[in-house]
């Protein structure tokens, strides 16, 4: 009985320990981090030649873009309406791609159009974020 009670006490003491906590900067990494993501996405073949790629082949690309409109709008705030508008356009392009069933084929012309709209809007978002990233970069 004493051994079982001792084991229970030992185990209960361990159950409240969460383990080590992560160290590092907290909060949002800022427009510079988004710019890195946009740089990577704008070298994708789905961005560069959307009319030449079968739409299902761009599913991963579109999925990676899904968080960009919201993040860009957050950075745009009310001070950068052009970026907010471009982010809205990008969100609409992603929505059109998804609603058109482009991940599984969909209407080829509509899906190609959605990918073209995404590329155009992404280019505008990237330009807007680049301005923010330059403005927020620490002076060297």
């Amino acid at each position: 009985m004493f051994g079982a009670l001792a084991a229970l006490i030992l185990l209960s003491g361990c159950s409240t320990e969460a383990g080590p906590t992560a160290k590092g900067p907290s909060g949002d990494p800022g427009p510079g981090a988004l710019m890195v993501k946009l740089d990577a996405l704008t070298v994708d073949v789905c961005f560069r030649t959307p009319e030449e790629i079968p739409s299902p082949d761009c599913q991963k690309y579109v999925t990676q873009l899904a968080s960009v409109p919201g993040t860009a709008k957050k950075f745009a705030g009310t001070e950068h309406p052009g970026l907010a508008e471009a982010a809205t356009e990008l969100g609409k392009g992603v929505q059109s791609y998804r609603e058109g069933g482009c991940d599984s084929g969909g209407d080829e012309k509509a899906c190609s159009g959605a990918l073209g709209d995404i590329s155009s809007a992404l280019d505008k978002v990237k330009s807007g974020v680049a301005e923010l990233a330059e403005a927020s970069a620490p002076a060297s």
Side-chain angles (χ1 to χ4, degrees):
M1 169 104 175
F2 179 71
L5 183 59
L8 183 60
I9 290 172
L10 282 174
L11 289 174
S12 67
C14 293
S15 68
T16 59
E17 185 178 323
T21 56
K23 303 282 187 225
S26 61
D28 197 334
L34 179 56
M35 195 65 205
V36 170
K37 181 175 184 170
L38 296 174
D39 284 340
L41 290 168
T42 55
V43 297
D44 192 292
V45 69
C46 294
F47 170 79
R48 292 183 291 120
T49 56
E51 65 285 345
E52 296 176 17
I53 306 300
S55 60
D57 292 352
C58 292
Q59 175 60 32
K60 182 177 178 183
Y61 163 77
V62 173
T63 298
Q64 291 171 334
L65 285 170
S67 66
V68 172
T71 304
K73 284 181 186 179
K74 180 178 71 170
F75 290 144
T78 56
E79 301 82 32
H80 304 279
L83 175 56
E85 185 178 321
T88 298
E89 287 177 34
L90 180 58
K92 288 179 181 178
V94 170
Q95 184 177 1
S96 293
Y97 177 91
R98 290 180 171 168
E99 288 177 354
C102 300
D103 57 337
S104 59
D107 176 75
E108 191 175 324
K109 186 175 181 178
C111 292
S112 180
L115 287 170
D117 292 345
I118 288 169
S119 291
S120 176
L122 182 57
D123 195 41
K124 293 175 190 172
V125 167
K126 184 177 177 184
S127 294
V129 172
E131 291 175 13
L132 294 178
E134 289 170 10
S136 67
S140 16

